[in-house]
Amino acid sequence: MFRHSQLETVKAWLAHPAHTAMPLHARIQRAIRQLILDGALGPGKPLPASRALAKSLGVSRDTVESAYAQLHAEGFIERRVGSGSFVAEMTEFAPGHRRSRRDALLRNQAPNLSKRGNAMFRGGGVREMLMPRPFAHGVPDTRGFPLQLWERLERQVLKETGTLALLHGDPQGAEPLRRAIADYVNLERGARATADRVLVLTSSQQAMTLCANVLLDPGERIFIEDPAYYGARKAFDAAGLECVPVRVDRQGILVEPILATPNRAKAVFLTPSHQFPTGATLALDRRLALIEWAAGHQAWIIEDDYDSEFHYAGKPTACVQGLDPNDRTIYTGTFTKSLFPGLRIGYVVLPPQLVQPMTVARTLLDGHTASMAQLTLARFMEGGHFGAHIRTMRGIYAQRLAVLSDLVRRHLSDFVDPRVPIGGLQMPCVLTCEISERAAIEAARRVGVELTGLSALHAAGDGKAGFLMGFAAYTPAELEGAVRKLATALQMVRMPA
């Protein structure tokens, strides 16, 4: 007979919401099987008679008999005529308490990973907040997205394509979307793109992973901005590359260290339109110098144009790819920042000779991007809705940046110096008080405010302490409330104990 605790375990299994979709006999069978696997019912132990168990559980005897029959068929129990049902003698099965100890040991044991696996694990991945709170950076406002329009376009796509939209898609990306992307980057970013040079991906992070693994071998070097976007550095580290940091000033990455040792690396990673995190724009003479360096040394320029749509002062500069006549620049973009993170669509504009190798390599990662989302986005862009949405959000974000910079000057002037950018979705602030960056971030988190430290973005370790404050996803009232909370939290840290 079951002990009281074992009977309660079976009852809990039957009532658990996650199991209610299963037939009743299957739930009983799974519950008893788990008791056996956990060692709570050891080999040779008798099971309750089907009639008695049925009465205890409030089910029919046939239901329990069906559960016992399945357990017998799977070898978990033995049924003896005239004696009843017993847990089978499974000598190869470790009792639960031994298994628990073994699992605990395995959890604490260093995993036997490859060098690349270790690099990925140690890097900590790139994690985004599921429900962002002020001042999470790089997050657009999704509350203003024209959802009803999107739904209507999606219905149109489904009506016209039918079940074709449910099949595997082209690994290079749906042709209508590739055409729309090419038209957009040519017009708005001064690129040199055609539909057959566009590769649609799930994110710019995937683009960097592809570049790192297809263009360079483990141990080879890549020049990278310092400070730099952490997602890029982690992608390159995980691929076994050696990142060579190159300092950034107010005109972008310094080219002198690259030109002085031109063969030191086979590629350079840039955010030239709006450097992350400083907001600097790469000067034209430096762009041209890097294009010449790449051509002369058969190197690659990886250009990340992550939020160029949101430029608040003057016209944005043309992308490097559009200036490069030698096809040594790989241009990456994403709709995560311009539309919404859940869309999961990014892209690269590739030199012609890389289209096939990159597309084949992409099939080894995830096959293709979801067709419905691609075709809906293509309609959204072709109908002029993308441009209209960008113009609307650009105005909203510019207002929110102005609000945040004013709030920081009014409430946080004793703690930080804001560096107001000319574009993007976040504002860097440099700490000017005795509070450490770590203490500031921890104090902010305690009051429900999210900050990203600046110093960790500097590979050389000599960056000024401070943090990024994202503003795009938050209303002026939300920004004010969060700034006031942050001011109080920092004041508490600074007060003597």
Side-chain angles (χ1 to χ4, degrees), residues 202-441:
T202 54
S203 64
S204 56
Q205 190 69 34
Q206 188 181 47
M208 287 179 278
T209 297
L210 275 174
C211 289
N213 287 281
V214 175
L215 303 180
L216 294 96
D217 289 316
E220 291 188 319
R221 298 185 179 97
I222 179 170
F223 290 121
I224 187 168
E225 298 167 327
D226 190 27
Y229 172 55
Y230 51 83
R233 193 160 64 209
K234 288 183 177 183
F236 301 145
D237 286 343
L241 309 185
E242 181 183 341
C243 293
V244 180
V246 181
R247 195 165 63 83
V248 169
D249 65 13
R250 293 185 178 181
Q251 297 185 70
I253 192 171
L254 298 174
V255 297
E256 289 80 6
I258 297 175
L259 302 181
T261 55
N263 296 315
R264 193 178 178 194
K266 291 184 64 175
V268 60
F269 171 77
L270 304 172
T271 52
S273 298
H274 179 235
Q275 203 277 330
F276 185 92
T278 67
T281 299
L282 186 61
L284 178 61
D285 60 334
R286 297 185 185 185
R287 294 172 184 240
L288 297 176
L290 288 172
I291 289 171
E292 186 176 346
W293 164 78
H297 297 275
Q298 292 297 286
W300 300 104
I301 298 171
I302 303 171
E303 178 180 12
D304 184 7
D305 209 25
Y306 64 101
D307 63 3
S308 61
E309 292 87 1
F310 303 116
H311 202 86
Y312 312 126
K315 287 244 179 209
T317 55
C319 65
V320 172
Q321 192 267 358
L323 300 172
D324 182 3
N326 310 304
D327 287 326
R328 303 299 303 179
T329 301
I330 297 146
Y331 177 91
T332 74
T334 178
F335 294 99
T336 295
K337 306 287 191 293
S338 54
L339 293 179
F340 55 93
L343 182 58
R344 305 308 302 145
I345 294 181
Y347 59 91
V348 284
V349 179
L350 295 165
Q353 68 272 30
L354 289 184
V355 173
Q356 283 304 308
M358 285 284 203
T359 302
V360 170
R362 183 270 164 85
T363 64
L364 297 174
L365 295 180
D366 65 352
H368 65 99
T369 304
S371 300
M372 276 296 296
Q374 289 187 72
L375 296 172
T376 304
L377 176 56
R379 294 262 175 132
F380 192 74
M381 298 179 77
E382 291 163 354
H385 309 300
F386 180 71
H389 180 68
I390 293 299
R391 288 189 293 273
T392 298
M393 301 315 293
R394 188 185 294 136
I396 292 173
Y397 295 165
Q399 178 198 20
R400 292 179 180 181
L401 173 59
V403 168
L404 178 61
S405 58
D406 179 63
L407 287 168
V408 169
R409 291 189 178 100
R410 280 196 285 130
H411 300 289
L412 298 175
S413 59
D414 290 344
F415 307 102
V416 298
D417 176 25
R419 305 292 170 86
V420 183
I422 60 173
L425 307 180
Q426 55 274 324
M427 179 176 75
C429 293
V430 175
L431 281 163
T432 57
C433 62
E434 69 281 5
I435 300 174
S436 71
E437 181 181 288
R438 185 188 191 98
I441 291 171

Side-chain angles (χ1 to χ4, degrees), residues 33-40 92-107:
R33 185 180 70 180
Q34 197 61 51
L35 287 171
I36 296 171
L37 289 172
D38 291 342
E92 75 279 5
F93 176 71
H97 66 282
R98 294 181 193 164
R99 188 161 162 260
S100 298
R101 284 201 298 269
R102 184 195 65 193
D103 288 351
L105 288 171
L106 288 174
R107 276 194 296 271

Side-chain angles (χ1 to χ4, degrees), residues 24 82 187 201 229 357 383:
L24 200 52
L187 178 64
L201 301 170
Y229 172 55

